[in-house]
Amino acid sequence: MAEQLEPVLVVIPTYNERDNIERIVSRLRAALPKAHALIVDDGSPDGTGEIADRLSAESDGHVHVMHRTEKNGLGAAYVAGFQWGLERDYAVLVEMDADGSHSPEDLPRMLDALADADLAIGSRYVPGGKVVNWPKHRYMLSWGANTYARIALGARVKDMTAGFRAYRREALQKIRIDNVASRGYCFQIDLGWRTIEAGFTVVEVPITFTEREHGVSKMSSDVIREALIRVTKWGLRRRGTQLKSLFSR
């Protein structure tokens, strides 16, 4: 990894991940010993925050913890973590789930891809990428959501909903993350689309996505509804802009 792309901050949102957080932080430290982690805990009642504090105390300054008082959505947790990292001059900011579905061992390849890009997405749907242990309905839901987002927005990215990403700080600074309203997994589409619209270079790096072994998925009907409504609005706005440009010639 090029020297100018350090230091790296990996933002890990948590809510009731006591069975996973220690394992994923250990794997991250092994895969990227120089990287820092920021655990953003949304007041987990299962004691995740206390485990995070212990990991921080034992980490010689490489693990940090942000305690938030309520569960306010994945998007809000990432925005808070990104803002924390930007204020401390991290060169690269990474999104990674706490449940083990994202392999920290894939991060070196994603960071290497930033040599020629502003956003590297750990993708399930490019050649070499795959999903392990997902029930068929979850796969079809994800595939359908990505297909719809790609068509509605005219994007070439295969995995718009991917939650494993590495951003150069310059991209996050320009796309104004402070006014992101998306709360659930739609946040991924939102930031990806903003990055594309701002003219930044996006690359997809194949990864293996593994369904969590412990805990409960945060996917819900409200999350799906939010994504459908917002993507439809963004797509219609894009079509409107295209038509306006066409008729103004």
Side-chain angles (χ1 to χ4, degrees), residues 1-200:
M1 186 173 55
E3 184 178 354
Q4 66 269 26
L5 295 184
E6 294 179 349
V8 174
L9 178 68
V10 182
V11 181
I12 309 174
T14 57
Y15 185 77
N16 287 351
E17 296 288 359
R18 64 170 299 145
D19 293 330
N20 297 308
I21 188 60
E22 189 163 5
R23 183 182 300 108
I24 201 68
V25 168
S26 176
R27 289 173 60 189
L28 173 62
R29 296 298 312 278
L32 286 173
K34 296 172 69 175
H36 286 206
L38 173 64
I39 301 168
V40 183
D41 187 63
D42 277 3
S44 298
D46 73 342
T48 300
E50 288 78 1
I51 296 174
D53 285 335
R54 174 173 57 79
L55 294 174
S56 177
E58 297 171 352
S59 73
D60 61 21
H62 281 73
V63 178
H64 313 274
V65 184
M66 177 186 296
H67 292 282
R68 296 178 356 126
T69 57
E70 60 182 8
K71 190 174 186 294
N72 199 28
L74 184 71
Y78 271 127
V79 167
F82 286 159
Q83 289 174 332
W84 188 95
L86 291 173
E87 291 169 359
R88 289 159 178 80
D89 296 326
Y90 286 93
V92 176
L93 295 101
V94 175
E95 297 182 28
M96 189 175 76
D97 286 351
D99 60 13
S101 57
H102 301 148
S103 298
E105 294 79 14
D106 287 329
L107 265 177
R109 291 188 298 111
M110 292 171 60
L111 296 177
D112 285 344
L114 286 181
D116 301 304
D118 304 290
L119 166 59
I121 296 177
S123 179
R124 299 161 288 188
Y125 302 126
V126 294
K130 62 181 179 179
V131 175
V132 176
N133 294 336
W134 248 7
K136 187 175 182 178
H137 74 276
R138 280 293 303 276
Y139 178 84
M140 293 305 297
L141 176 63
S142 175
W143 183 86
N146 277 289
T147 300
Y148 181 69
R150 192 163 62 249
I151 293 172
L153 301 176
R156 296 182 179 180
V157 174
K158 298 290 187 182
D159 200 347
M160 286 288 284
T161 66
F164 197 15
R165 304 178 173 205
Y167 288 89
R168 284 180 177 258
R169 68 174 289 113
E170 295 82 5
L172 291 177
Q173 287 174 318
K174 186 173 181 179
I175 63 177
R176 293 286 309 279
I177 61 173
D178 56 305
N179 67 359
V180 173
S182 304
R183 294 166 59 89
Y185 289 92
C186 182
F187 171 81
Q188 313 298 0
I189 303 174
D190 194 340
L191 252 63
W193 179 234
R194 288 174 185 236
T195 304
I196 293 168
E197 281 196 308
F200 288 108

